[in-house]
């Protein structure tokens, strides 16, 4: 049955409408698919551009060790660090990340400079410790060495011998202070360092006006280890060989000289009086050295008391909160 022109026109219009609708739908679907693909690609690019980096959880000072070693000798990260995910564009190329931290951080990794909380750790911020623990390392207490007034735990020091002639020798270089109090400090030292120090102690005991003292490094992470310049005299070596007990005697006498409050109370007046009637330059040097040691010990005592008071106040405030 033939359709009339009006019906054909309506059918053609309907088919044209369906066709146009399908084209529009196809364009919309294609657009949505393209948008979804673009978003997925951007998401993958962002994910691929991210990397895990190590960030400081607290402020640390130069010379701080940021790693620790377990019984098996395996290195693990201390609780002062945490990992975060950031885009690669936001971090330096030498940042310590999830891929390189095992080689970048060792048991001897120290902070080269003072670092603040939130700092992304990079390899140029670390330095290998000069003093690695060896089989012969022993912890030794020294209370016969004149300490810097503001010496604190974790400082790095040189131990020097000053002679009345003006010569000044480095006996032991760049040692980390394990702990300290008003009169003593504890160091990890090697066997050869123990022997060298023993020689210097005996020599300081023998020579009136000499001083065995410690000096601190300003930036231990940046400053390299000083060269040891002290060489024991053959007479000192022979003396120790003939009488090993002389080392303990020297330690006792230097301890009395540097730390005994009763001796300090009357020693200055006696020496000062002697200098007034003496033209002996050696005697003047000895007197000056003694006075200098006493003044430094008094300053050290006052500084330690201030530190203890400050720590006590901090503890009380924390407990109150």
């Amino acid at each position: 049955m033939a359709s009339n022109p009006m019906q054909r026109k309506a059918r053609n219009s309907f088919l044209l409408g369906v066709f146009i609708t399908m084209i529009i739908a196809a364009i919309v679907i294609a657009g949505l698919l393209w948008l979804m693909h673009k978003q997925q690609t951007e998401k993958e690019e962002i994910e691929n551009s991210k990397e895990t980096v190590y960030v400081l959880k607290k402020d640390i000072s130069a010379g701080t060790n940021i790693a620790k070693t377990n019984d098996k000798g395996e290195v693990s990260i201390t609780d002062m660090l945490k990992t975060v995910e950031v885009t690669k564009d936001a971090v330096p190329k030498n940042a310590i990340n999830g891929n390189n931290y095992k080689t970048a951080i060792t048991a001897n990794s120290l902070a080269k400079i003072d670092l603040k909380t939130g700092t992304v750790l990079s390899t140029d911020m670390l330095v290998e410790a000069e003093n690695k623990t060896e089989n012969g390392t022993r912890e030794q207490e020294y209370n016969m060495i004149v300490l810097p007034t503001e010496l604190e735990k974790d400082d790095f020091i040189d131990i020097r011998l000053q002679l009345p002639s003006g010569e000044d020798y480095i006996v032991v270089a760049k040692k980390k202070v394990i702990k300290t109090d008003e009169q003593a400090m504890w160091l990890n030292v090697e066997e050869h360092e123990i022997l060298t120090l023993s020689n210097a102690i005996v020599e300081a005991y023998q020579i009136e006006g000499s001083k065995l003292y410690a000096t601190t490094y300003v930036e231990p992470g940046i400053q390299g280890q000083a060269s040891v310049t002290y060489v024991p005299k053959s007479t000192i070596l022979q003396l120790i060989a003939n009488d090993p007990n002389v080392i303990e005697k020297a330690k006792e006498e230097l301890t009395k000289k540097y730390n005994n409050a009763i001796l300090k109370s009357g020693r200055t007046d006696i020496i000062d009086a002697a200098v007034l009637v003496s033209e002996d330059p050696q005697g003047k040097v000895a007197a000056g050295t003694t006075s200098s040691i006493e003044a430094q010990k008094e300053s050290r005592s006052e500084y330690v008391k201030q530190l203890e008071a400050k720590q006590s106040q901090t503890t009380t405030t924390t407990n109150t909160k």
Side-chain angles (χ1 to χ4, degrees):
M1 177 177 170
S3 59
N4 59 48
M6 294 295 294
Q7 289 177 328
R8 284 197 304 271
K9 185 177 181 179
R11 184 171 60 251
N12 291 339
S13 297
F14 172 76
L15 292 175
L16 180 61
V18 171
F19 180 72
I20 293 173
T21 301
M22 290 176 64
I23 291 176
I24 294 173
I27 292 173
V28 171
I29 291 172
L32 289 173
L33 289 174
W34 177 81
L35 184 60
M36 290 174 62
H37 175 72
K38 181 181 178 182
Q39 291 177 337
Q40 181 64 29
T41 301
E42 290 176 347
K43 183 178 179 181
E44 289 177 356
E45 288 177 351
I46 292 173
E47 289 298 324
N48 291 334
S49 68
K50 284 185 176 181
E51 65 178 73
T52 301
V53 296
Y54 286 86
V55 175
L56 288 172
K57 293 169 61 178
K58 61 181 182 180
D59 296 352
I60 62 173
S61 58
T64 301
N65 193 316
I66 65 167
K68 57 184 178 181
T69 308
N70 60 23
D71 295 337
K72 297 180 180 179
E74 299 170 336
V75 177
S76 59
I77 308 303
T78 61
D79 58 3
M80 67 181 67
L81 296 176
K82 66 178 180 180
T83 56
V84 296
E85 282 194 348
V86 294
T87 58
K88 292 180 180 179
D89 294 338
V91 297
K93 293 182 179 179
N94 58 348
I96 296 176
N97 54 43
N99 297 322
N100 67 4
Y101 82 94
K102 289 185 178 180
T103 55
I105 299 178
T106 71
N108 299 295
S109 292
L110 306 181
K112 186 182 293 185
I113 55 176
D114 293 342
L115 299 171
K116 298 295 183 182
T117 303
T119 300
V120 176
L121 209 61
S122 60
T123 54
D124 59 2
M125 295 178 183
L126 302 179
V127 65
E128 287 297 292
E130 300 285 348
N131 299 311
K132 297 182 179 180
T133 302
E134 305 291 348
N135 292 334
T137 302
R138 297 294 184 270
E139 183 177 304
Q140 293 282 331
E141 175 187 358
Y142 293 99
N143 62 351
M144 72 296 297
I145 297 170
V146 180
L147 305 181
T149 300
E150 299 184 2
L151 182 70
E152 297 183 18
K153 178 180 177 291
D154 295 331
D155 282 349
F156 283 80
I157 63 162
D158 288 340
I159 298 177
R160 307 178 70 105
L161 175 63
Q162 183 183 79
L163 301 179
S165 60
E167 296 169 294
D168 199 301
Y169 300 99
I170 298 174
V171 181
V172 174
K174 203 169 188 182
K175 306 305 295 183
K176 185 177 182 179
V177 178
I178 307 302
K179 56 184 176 180
T180 183
D181 58 22
E182 185 177 327
Q183 298 181 347
M185 63 179 173
W186 286 257
L187 309 173
N188 285 338
V189 286
E190 304 296 323
E191 181 64 25
H192 70 277
E193 293 171 327
I194 294 173
L195 296 175
T196 304
L197 262 173
S198 295
N199 293 333
I201 289 168
V202 173
E203 191 160 5
Y205 156 67
Q206 275 199 328
I207 303 174
E208 184 68 24
S210 62
K211 181 172 72 169
L212 196 61
Y213 68 105
T215 59
T216 56
Y217 283 71
V218 178
E219 293 288 350
I222 299 175
Q223 294 173 287
Q225 179 175 320
S227 299
V228 173
T229 56
Y230 173 76
V231 180
K233 293 182 179 179
S234 57
T235 53
I236 301 297
L237 295 173
Q238 187 61 45
L239 178 62
I240 294 174
N242 294 337
D243 181 13
N245 292 328
V246 74
I247 296 175
E248 293 306 316
K249 182 179 180 182
K251 288 181 179 180
E252 291 174 5
E253 291 301 320
L254 289 182
T255 301
K256 289 178 183 179
K257 178 180 177 181
Y258 294 167
N259 299 329
N260 193 309
I262 297 176
L263 291 179
K264 286 198 301 180
S265 64
R267 180 63 176 166
T268 304
D269 293 338
I270 295 172
I271 295 228
D272 286 347
V275 171
L276 291 175
V277 296
S278 173
E279 295 299 327
D280 178 18
Q282 187 81 3
K284 292 181 180 181
V285 172
T289 301
T290 302
S291 298
S292 172
I293 290 172
E294 291 172 0
Q296 192 162 349
K297 293 300 296 182
E298 290 173 2
S299 297
R300 172 71 180 163
S301 177
E302 183 62 28
Y303 181 74
V304 171
K305 289 176 182 177
Q306 291 176 1
L307 276 182
E308 291 174 345
K310 185 177 180 181
Q311 291 171 354
S312 177
Q313 184 178 4
T314 302
T315 303
T316 301
T317 304
T318 303
N319 292 338
T320 301
K321 290 181 179 180

